[in-house]
Amino acid sequence: DAKTTQPPSMDCAEGRAANLPCNHSTISGNEYVYWYRQIHSQGPQYIIHGLKNNETNEMASLIITEDRKSSTLILPHATLRDTAVYYCIVRHNTGTASKLTFGTGTRLQVTL
Amino acid sequence: GAVVSQHPSRVICKSGTSVKIECRSLDFQATTMFWYRQFPKQSLMLMATSNEGSKATYEQGVEKDKFLINHASLTLSTLTVTSAHPEDSSFYICSARESRGAYPYNEQFFGPGTRLTVL
């Protein structure tokens, strides 16, 4: 699975949009981009995933560049409860060998 | 989403004892389960992958005789840390996947984690 690069930390004011970038320049054509987050001392929580089109759900939006070498996770109105480590992962979406491999992630701190 | 539970959530044991951690998929059948370990301020590290009814596949550097994994049913996997020592103190997280094929049947769902402290 392709590696990803994320900034180690970011701050965001409560109520503002949080934009978390991720570089995955070696992504292959059949690899998906996944985002998970981990709130302190809990298991990872699925946020969103996509292949090449932009995606939106109740939690966030995922913007993938046309060349698929980078993406941005957008939390439209960050709250204090969004403070967590956010992981961007790329992986194949089929096959029993497919697994999620976590990088170092971005520690998002939402402040008042 | 699907629910994965772990038991216990927290365990403290003496050095040299063995500890068993259970991982259950509550509303789906997990043909594949994964065990991760996370040290403080570090990312999750995959330890092993297990398919129901088969032996687990361990990642490089993980001692299979120390971390025994059993995936005997489609809803239960166990991780036994044998002869635990203080350096085994960590946050252990399991993940389960239905693996029937394409999305959403092949998504990974995570348990809440088990914090192991070895004295």
Side-chain angles (χ1 to χ4, degrees):
Chain A
D1 292 332
K3 289 186 177 179
T4 62
T5 304
Q6 299 177 251
S9 64
M10 293 182 66
D11 292 332
C12 178
E14 190 176 34
R16 305 297 293 269
N19 298 291
L20 292 91
C22 180
N23 286 321
H24 31 79
S25 58
T26 60
I27 192 170
S28 63
N30 55 2
E31 287 183 312
Y32 286 67
V33 180
Y34 280 78
W35 284 84
Y36 279 77
R37 72 180 182 184
Q38 186 180 27
I39 295 170
H40 183 62
S41 293
Q42 296 182 24
Q45 176 190 22
Y46 167 81
I47 301 174
I48 199 167
H49 79 285
L51 182 62
K52 53 184 176 183
N53 297 321
N54 297 337
E55 302 287 344
T56 295
N57 62 21
E58 65 277 5
M59 289 183 68
S61 294
L62 173 61
I63 308 298
I64 303 174
T65 57
E66 195 168 337
D67 63 7
R68 301 208 326 122
K69 293 184 176 182
S70 65
S71 61
T72 302
L73 178 74
I74 300 173
L75 308 179
H77 305 287
T79 70
L80 296 177
R81 285 184 289 185
D82 292 321
T83 293
V85 178
Y86 287 77
Y87 295 99
C88 168
I89 304 167
V90 292
R91 69 149 190 166
H92 293 283
N93 223 28
T94 59
T96 56
S98 176
K99 55 194 175 186
L100 292 170
T101 302
F102 288 78
T104 53
T106 296
R107 185 173 297 275
L108 176 68
Q109 180 69 52
V110 181
T111 57
L112 291 172
Chain B
V3 178
V4 176
S5 70
Q6 281 184 244
H7 178 80
S9 58
R10 186 180 296 267
V11 57
I12 301 173
C13 70
K14 292 182 180 179
S15 184
T17 61
S18 293
V19 175
K20 181 184 283 188
I21 301 170
E22 291 186 350
C23 176
R24 294 181 185 273
S25 56
L26 298 186
D27 50 2
F28 68 100
Q29 294 184 326
T31 52
T32 305
M33 285 188 169
F34 305 85
W35 286 95
Y36 292 81
R37 179 169 56 181
Q38 186 176 33
F39 292 108
K41 299 191 184 301
Q42 294 187 23
S43 185
L44 285 78
M45 184 188 75
L46 180 65
M47 300 175 66
T49 302
S50 72
N51 291 302
E52 185 264 339
S54 303
K55 288 185 178 180
T57 301
Y58 290 80
E59 296 296 306
Q60 194 171 15
V62 178
E63 300 174 61
K64 62 181 180 180
D65 294 331
K66 182 169 183 62
F67 299 100
L68 302 179
I69 292 171
N70 184 284
H71 189 173
S73 81
L74 288 171
T75 59
L76 173 65
S77 176
T78 60
L79 167 69
T80 301
V81 183
T82 62
S83 186
H85 288 95
E87 57 266 29
D88 298 322
S89 297
S90 190
F91 193 49
Y92 291 87
I93 305 168
C94 76
S95 178
R97 188 173 73 198
E98 193 170 10
S99 301
R100 269 196 280 161
Y103 176 81
Y105 300 114
N106 62 350
E107 292 311 302
Q108 271 186 246
F109 302 99
F110 288 83
T114 296
R115 186 161 301 284
L116 170 64
T117 303
V118 184
L119 303 177

